[in-house]
Amino acid sequence: MLIRNATLADGRVRDIRIDGERIAEIGEGLDAEDDVLDADEKRLLPGMIDAHVHFREPGYSHKETWTTGSRSAAAGGVTTVFDQPNTDPPTIDGATFDQKAGLAEVSAVDYGINGGVTDAWNPDELLEKPLAALGEVFLADSTGDMGIEADLFEEAVERAEAADVTVTVHAEDADLFDESAKERDDADAWSAYRTAEAEAEAVERACSVAADLGAEIHIAHTSTPEGVDIASEAGMTCEVTPHHLFLSRDDLDDLGTLGRMNPPLRSETRRENVFERLVDGTVDIVATDHAPHTRDEKDAGIWDAPSGVPGVETALPLLLEEARKGTIDYERVRDVTAANVADIFELPRKGEIAEDNDADLVLVDPDASVPIRGEKLHSRCGWTPFEGRQAVFPELTMVRGAVVFHEGAFAEGGGQNVRRSG
């Protein structure tokens, strides 16, 4: 295929020739000896690499499946996902890795599988598998018995460093949660309970342990400017989520328990400061922490509803809307959704539109801004915390040269493990 007249993130208009799975040539006025797609100067971006999703299989397929989750990803311009280990059973040894790998074969997009760390994990088996990363490793009671003690955290970091596997960390210090908030039952009580100080302290502790071991770690879903700054100053990388970039405690009266997640929503001032760090380059990447639950499950009191929101289909469209408005530039969107992710997680043929890279491409019309509607999204859960917000959705998504999504239609399967041998 030849994609003609595509506007790249840096504003250049170029032709892109695709040969098989790879980008073969980038130039101007390339010979049209292949099938031609005229981009008509619309934006062509590298597909988003979402390093943090929960596709819920095995164990919770009523919330999401690899089929529904990966289609939702493709419709949102995501071409690679990293699935987290807290499924049932959790991905903590060779057998559970193989079980999840078998389920993931139906994925419409490329994928990685993260390994988990619990008291029952088998690092000898797990670290022999083609893992995307280790984590998210929990330092709090975020997901039941997935939380671990300090000595096990140190062991996990040491073992992963020796195996050249990135460790991603969920950093919240449960000792700094505000127990007095449990006397409340309003929607803001969860944010009051899981304090910003609890995150900052845990990020500092995790970074200190890693530095003492001569290792590097990646801080997941950083929700506070303090956490972002601590990770950056320590020389570690961090991610932020769309919900922490675009939602705050001010939205909780409308969201109710649909706005409960871990870490929780923060003040509007903190949200603004996190967004500023996204724009100025302090934040390394955006990842969604796509964690769907059914509406029935969310229809509970603030202390009983499960934590988590969907986001894999709306992350890039929300950022593209900000680029359309001029609050962030397209090059920065490219970096935080693709180029930096590929660098952190060592995906040398992904993340950039460059010759010999995988043809993971997303075509968008910057002027096609529409309101987000949960009923039109493709996640099994059928709702979104961003209902009614403006976004720019892709019209075409390609994974390694194959069109997997085009104007509402999907191709079957086709995704591969990014750590596959060879």
Side-chain angles (χ1 to χ4, degrees), residues 124-145:
D124 293 327
E125 289 183 2
L126 190 62
L127 291 170
E128 286 295 317
K129 295 295 182 177
L131 294 173
L134 200 61
E136 58 190 290
V137 178
F138 292 93
L139 296 183
D141 61 347
S142 177
T143 308
D145 58 5

Side-chain angles (χ1 to χ4, degrees), residues 377-394:
L377 301 179
H378 299 86
S379 170
R380 172 162 277 192
C381 73
W383 61 273
T384 172
F386 304 109
E387 185 73 30
R389 289 175 180 258
Q390 292 295 121
V392 178
F393 287 87

Side-chain angles (χ1 to χ4, degrees), residues 215-264:
E216 294 181 357
I217 58 174
H218 176 75
I219 306 298
H221 46 48
T222 322
S223 65
T224 64
E226 297 92 336
V228 171
D229 291 344
I230 291 167
S232 177
E233 291 165 7
M236 309 299 169
T237 58
C238 74
E239 70 192 40
V240 297
T241 71
H243 41 274
H244 293 124
L245 286 171
F246 295 107
L247 301 172
S248 73
R249 293 171 76 167
D250 289 358
D251 297 294
L252 286 169
D253 284 344
D254 293 329
L255 289 171
T257 55
L258 296 183
R260 174 177 152 162
M261 73 282 292
N262 301 333

